[in-house]
């Protein structure tokens, strides 16, 4: 083998080694942040809320009721999963006080690695909690609502007319609040995408989030998928039993 051939082979070996190192670095810097149950919950809730809104606008109230019951099941699941689920899904992991929010805002002005959070940031946590609580009240109140013409919620027979009127008004009022929260949520996602250059959508699809080059972190602890299925089944069973009680 000639000297030129030896040098070429050596350069090729170094390039391959460098490529493997770069590949390892790429994988090392991308962590599995969101587990499958959390991601499935997120997109299922998006679909259920969209179905509830669209069916209400079209006057297809049977579908609206079903979509609302689905939202209730999903929110109940998420509330429990937020206590016993995977690390990044737990409320204790991302719901912080005013001091943490001020600190995050200060780090956000600095940008880059200083503003990096593994899961929800403290501002995102406020939106998560607000959406869950509003959707819980909205779906729950929907069980007691009446249009005073054709359609009554399944739990209307269990309460007084005054309670039905109150909860029906609350249900209609919160519908506007949900539109506001959804608009703020979508605006925030696009702000982070276009201004902060932080894609929040991709990790909720793939589960993986890029890690800044000089930042060390370990993958969050994940709860078993079987536990998620058990919680979902229990949530669905509870809603079914409540509805059956009224029927």
């Amino acid at each position: 083998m000639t000297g030129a051939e030896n040098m070429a082979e050596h350069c090729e070996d170094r390039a391959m080694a460098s490529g493997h190192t770069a590949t390892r670095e790429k994988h090392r810097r991308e962590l599995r942040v969101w587990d499958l149950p959390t991601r499935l919950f997120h997109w299922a809730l998006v679909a259920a809320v969209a179905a509830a809104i669209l069916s209400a606008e079209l006057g297809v109230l049977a579908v609206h009721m079903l979509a609302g019951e689905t939202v209730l099941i999903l929110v109940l699941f998420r509330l429990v999963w937020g206590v016993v689920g995977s690390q990044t899904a737990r409320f204790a992991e991302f719901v912080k006080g005013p001091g943490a929010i001020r600190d995050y805002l200060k780090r956000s002005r600095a940008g880059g690695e200083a503003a990096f959070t593994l899961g929800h940031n403290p501002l995102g946590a406020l939106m998560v909690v607000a959406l869950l609580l509003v959707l819980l009240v909205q779906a729950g109140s929907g069980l007691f609502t009446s249009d005073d013409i054709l359609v009554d919620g399944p739990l209307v027979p269990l309460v007084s007319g005054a309670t039905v009127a109150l909860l029906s008004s609350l249900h209609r009022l919160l519908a506007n609040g949900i539109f506001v929260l959804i608009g703020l949520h979508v605006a925030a996602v696009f702000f982070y995408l276009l201004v902060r250059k932080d894609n929040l959508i991709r990790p909720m699809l793939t589960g993986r989030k890029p890690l800044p080059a000089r930042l060390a972190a370990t993958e969050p602890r994940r709860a078993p998928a079987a536990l998620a299925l058990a919680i979902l089944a229990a949530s669905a069973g509870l809603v079914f039993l409540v509805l059956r009680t009224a029927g």
Side-chain angles (χ1 to χ4, degrees), residues 1-13:
M1 184 179 291
T2 66
E5 290 173 335
N6 279 328
M7 183 172 290
E9 182 176 348
H10 178 65
C11 290
E12 183 179 354
D13 289 341

mmCIF file with all atom_site columns, all heavy atoms in Angstrom, residues 1-13:
data_model
loop_
_atom_site.group_PDB
_atom_site.id
_atom_site.type_symbol
_atom_site.label_atom_id
_atom_site.label_alt_id
_atom_site.label_comp_id
_atom_site.label_asym_id
_atom_site.label_entity_id
_atom_site.label_seq_id
_atom_site.pdbx_PDB_ins_code
_atom_site.Cartn_x
_atom_site.Cartn_y
_atom_site.Cartn_z
_atom_site.occupancy
_atom_site.B_iso_or_equiv
_atom_site.pdbx_formal_charge
_atom_site.auth_seq_id
_atom_site.auth_comp_id
_atom_site.auth_asym_id
_atom_site.auth_atom_id
_atom_site.pdbx_PDB_model_num
ATOM 1  N N   . MET A 1 1  ? 0.857   -1.193 0.000  1.00 0.00 ? 1  MET A N   1
ATOM 2  C CA  . MET A 1 1  ? 0.000   0.000  0.000  1.00 0.00 ? 1  MET A CA  1
ATOM 3  C C   . MET A 1 1  ? 0.887   1.236  0.000  1.00 0.00 ? 1  MET A C   1
ATOM 4  O O   . MET A 1 1  ? 1.834   1.327  0.789  1.00 0.00 ? 1  MET A O   1
ATOM 5  C CB  . MET A 1 1  ? -0.901  -0.017 1.230  1.00 0.00 ? 1  MET A CB  1
ATOM 6  C CG  . MET A 1 1  ? -1.893  1.145  1.274  1.00 0.00 ? 1  MET A CG  1
ATOM 7  S SD  . MET A 1 1  ? -2.962  1.054  2.728  1.00 0.00 ? 1  MET A SD  1
ATOM 8  C CE  . MET A 1 1  ? -3.953  -0.372 2.314  1.00 0.00 ? 1  MET A CE  1
ATOM 9  N N   . THR A 1 2  ? 0.620   2.198  -0.818 1.00 0.00 ? 2  THR A N   1
ATOM 10 C CA  . THR A 1 2  ? 1.439   3.394  -0.940 1.00 0.00 ? 2  THR A CA  1
ATOM 11 C C   . THR A 1 2  ? 1.189   4.311  0.238  1.00 0.00 ? 2  THR A C   1
ATOM 12 O O   . THR A 1 2  ? 0.226   4.169  0.987  1.00 0.00 ? 2  THR A O   1
ATOM 13 C CB  . THR A 1 2  ? 1.110   4.141  -2.241 1.00 0.00 ? 2  THR A CB  1
ATOM 14 O OG1 . THR A 1 2  ? -0.215  4.631  -2.150 1.00 0.00 ? 2  THR A OG1 1
ATOM 15 C CG2 . THR A 1 2  ? 1.254   3.238  -3.444 1.00 0.00 ? 2  THR A CG2 1
ATOM 16 N N   . GLY A 1 3  ? 2.107   5.303  0.420  1.00 0.00 ? 3  GLY A N   1
ATOM 17 C CA  . GLY A 1 3  ? 1.944   6.276  1.497  1.00 0.00 ? 3  GLY A CA  1
ATOM 18 C C   . GLY A 1 3  ? 0.684   7.088  1.335  1.00 0.00 ? 3  GLY A C   1
ATOM 19 O O   . GLY A 1 3  ? -0.001  7.412  2.310  1.00 0.00 ? 3  GLY A O   1
ATOM 20 N N   . ALA A 1 4  ? 0.372   7.421  0.082  1.00 0.00 ? 4  ALA A N   1
ATOM 21 C CA  . ALA A 1 4  ? -0.846  8.206  -0.167 1.00 0.00 ? 4  ALA A CA  1
ATOM 22 C C   . ALA A 1 4  ? -2.085  7.418  0.223  1.00 0.00 ? 4  ALA A C   1
ATOM 23 O O   . ALA A 1 4  ? -3.041  7.955  0.798  1.00 0.00 ? 4  ALA A O   1
ATOM 24 C CB  . ALA A 1 4  ? -0.909  8.608  -1.640 1.00 0.00 ? 4  ALA A CB  1
ATOM 25 N N   . GLU A 1 5  ? -2.053  6.087  -0.074 1.00 0.00 ? 5  GLU A N   1
ATOM 26 C CA  . GLU A 1 5  ? -3.202  5.253  0.264  1.00 0.00 ? 5  GLU A CA  1
ATOM 27 C C   . GLU A 1 5  ? -3.341  5.113  1.782  1.00 0.00 ? 5  GLU A C   1
ATOM 28 O O   . GLU A 1 5  ? -4.448  5.105  2.320  1.00 0.00 ? 5  GLU A O   1
ATOM 29 C CB  . GLU A 1 5  ? -3.065  3.878  -0.381 1.00 0.00 ? 5  GLU A CB  1
ATOM 30 C CG  . GLU A 1 5  ? -3.233  3.911  -1.899 1.00 0.00 ? 5  GLU A CG  1
ATOM 31 C CD  . GLU A 1 5  ? -2.913  2.564  -2.537 1.00 0.00 ? 5  GLU A CD  1
ATOM 32 O OE1 . GLU A 1 5  ? -2.134  1.790  -1.935 1.00 0.00 ? 5  GLU A OE1 1
ATOM 33 O OE2 . GLU A 1 5  ? -3.447  2.305  -3.614 1.00 0.00 ? 5  GLU A OE2 1
ATOM 34 N N   . ASN A 1 6  ? -2.148  4.963  2.475  1.00 0.00 ? 6  ASN A N   1
ATOM 35 C CA  . ASN A 1 6  ? -2.185  4.881  3.933  1.00 0.00 ? 6  ASN A CA  1
ATOM 36 C C   . ASN A 1 6  ? -2.798  6.134  4.551  1.00 0.00 ? 6  ASN A C   1
ATOM 37 O O   . ASN A 1 6  ? -3.598  6.071  5.483  1.00 0.00 ? 6  ASN A O   1
ATOM 38 C CB  . ASN A 1 6  ? -0.764  4.686  4.486  1.00 0.00 ? 6  ASN A CB  1
ATOM 39 C CG  . ASN A 1 6  ? -0.328  3.241  4.394  1.00 0.00 ? 6  ASN A CG  1
ATOM 40 O OD1 . ASN A 1 6  ? -1.144  2.342  4.490  1.00 0.00 ? 6  ASN A OD1 1
ATOM 41 N ND2 . ASN A 1 6  ? 0.969   3.010  4.214  1.00 0.00 ? 6  ASN A ND2 1
ATOM 42 N N   . MET A 1 7  ? -2.387  7.298  4.029  1.00 0.00 ? 7  MET A N   1
ATOM 43 C CA  . MET A 1 7  ? -2.909  8.561  4.548  1.00 0.00 ? 7  MET A CA  1
ATOM 44 C C   . MET A 1 7  ? -4.408  8.684  4.294  1.00 0.00 ? 7  MET A C   1
ATOM 45 O O   . MET A 1 7  ? -5.163  9.136  5.157  1.00 0.00 ? 7  MET A O   1
ATOM 46 C CB  . MET A 1 7  ? -2.162  9.734  3.900  1.00 0.00 ? 7  MET A CB  1
ATOM 47 C CG  . MET A 1 7  ? -2.607  11.108 4.454  1.00 0.00 ? 7  MET A CG  1
ATOM 48 S SD  . MET A 1 7  ? -1.560  12.436 3.837  1.00 0.00 ? 7  MET A SD  1
ATOM 49 C CE  . MET A 1 7  ? -0.040  12.054 4.713  1.00 0.00 ? 7  MET A CE  1
ATOM 50 N N   . ALA A 1 8  ? -4.851  8.266  3.109  1.00 0.00 ? 8  ALA A N   1
ATOM 51 C CA  . ALA A 1 8  ? -6.267  8.336  2.789  1.00 0.00 ? 8  ALA A CA  1
ATOM 52 C C   . ALA A 1 8  ? -7.081  7.446  3.713  1.00 0.00 ? 8  ALA A C   1
ATOM 53 O O   . ALA A 1 8  ? -8.157  7.821  4.190  1.00 0.00 ? 8  ALA A O   1
ATOM 54 C CB  . ALA A 1 8  ? -6.499  7.936  1.330  1.00 0.00 ? 8  ALA A CB  1
ATOM 55 N N   . GLU A 1 9  ? -6.534  6.215  3.957  1.00 0.00 ? 9  GLU A N   1
ATOM 56 C CA  . GLU A 1 9  ? -7.255  5.296  4.842  1.00 0.00 ? 9  GLU A CA  1
ATOM 57 C C   . GLU A 1 9  ? -7.312  5.852  6.260  1.00 0.00 ? 9  GLU A C   1
ATOM 58 O O   . GLU A 1 9  ? -8.335  5.763  6.938  1.00 0.00 ? 9  GLU A O   1
ATOM 59 C CB  . GLU A 1 9  ? -6.558  3.938  4.837  1.00 0.00 ? 9  GLU A CB  1
ATOM 60 C CG  . GLU A 1 9  ? -7.280  2.890  5.703  1.00 0.00 ? 9  GLU A CG  1
ATOM 61 C CD  . GLU A 1 9  ? -6.630  1.526  5.602  1.00 0.00 ? 9  GLU A CD  1
ATOM 62 O OE1 . GLU A 1 9  ? -5.787  1.340  4.704  1.00 0.00 ? 9  GLU A OE1 1
ATOM 63 O OE2 . GLU A 1 9  ? -6.958  0.680  6.433  1.00 0.00 ? 9  GLU A OE2 1
ATOM 64 N N   . HIS A 1 10 ? -6.179  6.482  6.700  1.00 0.00 ? 10 HIS A N   1
ATOM 65 C CA  . HIS A 1 10 ? -6.139  7.050  8.040  1.00 0.00 ? 10 HIS A CA  1
ATOM 66 C C   . HIS A 1 10 ? -7.163  8.179  8.187  1.00 0.00 ? 10 HIS A C   1
ATOM 67 O O   . HIS A 1 10 ? -7.869  8.268  9.196  1.00 0.00 ? 10 HIS A O   1
ATOM 68 C CB  . HIS A 1 10 ? -4.724  7.572  8.319  1.00 0.00 ? 10 HIS A CB  1
ATOM 69 C CG  . HIS A 1 10 ? -4.579  8.218  9.668  1.00 0.00 ? 10 HIS A CG  1
ATOM 70 N ND1 . HIS A 1 10 ? -4.723  7.528  10.849 1.00 0.00 ? 10 HIS A ND1 1
ATOM 71 C CD2 . HIS A 1 10 ? -4.325  9.517  10.007 1.00 0.00 ? 10 HIS A CD2 1
ATOM 72 C CE1 . HIS A 1 10 ? -4.547  8.354  11.865 1.00 0.00 ? 10 HIS A CE1 1
ATOM 73 N NE2 . HIS A 1 10 ? -4.298  9.575  11.372 1.00 0.00 ? 10 HIS A NE2 1
ATOM 74 N N   . CYS A 1 11 ? -7.230  9.022  7.164  1.00 0.00 ? 11 CYS A N   1
ATOM 75 C CA  . CYS A 1 11 ? -8.188  10.130 7.196  1.00 0.00 ? 11 CYS A CA  1
ATOM 76 C C   . CYS A 1 11 ? -9.622  9.618  7.225  1.00 0.00 ? 11 CYS A C   1
ATOM 77 O O   . CYS A 1 11 ? -10.490 10.166 7.915  1.00 0.00 ? 11 CYS A O   1
ATOM 78 C CB  . CYS A 1 11 ? -7.981  11.042 5.977  1.00 0.00 ? 11 CYS A CB  1
ATOM 79 S SG  . CYS A 1 11 ? -6.447  11.985 6.065  1.00 0.00 ? 11 CYS A SG  1
ATOM 80 N N   . GLU A 1 12 ? -9.869  8.529  6.452  1.00 0.00 ? 12 GLU A N   1
ATOM 81 C CA  . GLU A 1 12 ? -11.221 7.963  6.424  1.00 0.00 ? 12 GLU A CA  1
ATOM 82 C C   . GLU A 1 12 ? -11.606 7.409  7.785  1.00 0.00 ? 12 GLU A C   1
ATOM 83 O O   . GLU A 1 12 ? -12.735 7.593  8.248  1.00 0.00 ? 12 GLU A O   1
ATOM 84 C CB  . GLU A 1 12 ? -11.296 6.868  5.359  1.00 0.00 ? 12 GLU A CB  1
ATOM 85 C CG  . GLU A 1 12 ? -12.702 6.272  5.220  1.00 0.00 ? 12 GLU A CG  1
ATOM 86 C CD  . GLU A 1 12 ? -12.752 5.212  4.129  1.00 0.00 ? 12 GLU A CD  1
ATOM 87 O OE1 . GLU A 1 12 ? -11.737 5.040  3.429  1.00 0.00 ? 12 GLU A OE1 1
ATOM 88 O OE2 . GLU A 1 12 ? -13.800 4.584  3.998  1.00 0.00 ? 12 GLU A OE2 1
ATOM 89 N N   . ASP A 1 13 ? -10.606 6.713  8.433  1.00 0.00 ? 13 ASP A N   1
ATOM 90 C CA  . ASP A 1 13 ? -10.883 6.162  9.758  1.00 0.00 ? 13 ASP A CA  1
ATOM 91 C C   . ASP A 1 13 ? -11.200 7.266  10.756 1.00 0.00 ? 13 ASP A C   1
ATOM 92 O O   . ASP A 1 13 ? -12.099 7.139  11.587 1.00 0.00 ? 13 ASP A O   1
ATOM 93 C CB  . ASP A 1 13 ? -9.679  5.340  10.250 1.00 0.00 ? 13 ASP A CB  1
ATOM 94 C CG  . ASP A 1 13 ? -9.522  4.042  9.484  1.00 0.00 ? 13 ASP A CG  1
ATOM 95 O OD1 . ASP A 1 13 ? -10.514 3.608  8.856  1.00 0.00 ? 13 ASP A OD1 1
ATOM 96 O OD2 . ASP A 1 13 ? -8.418  3.476  9.517  1.00 0.00 ? 13 ASP A OD2 1
#
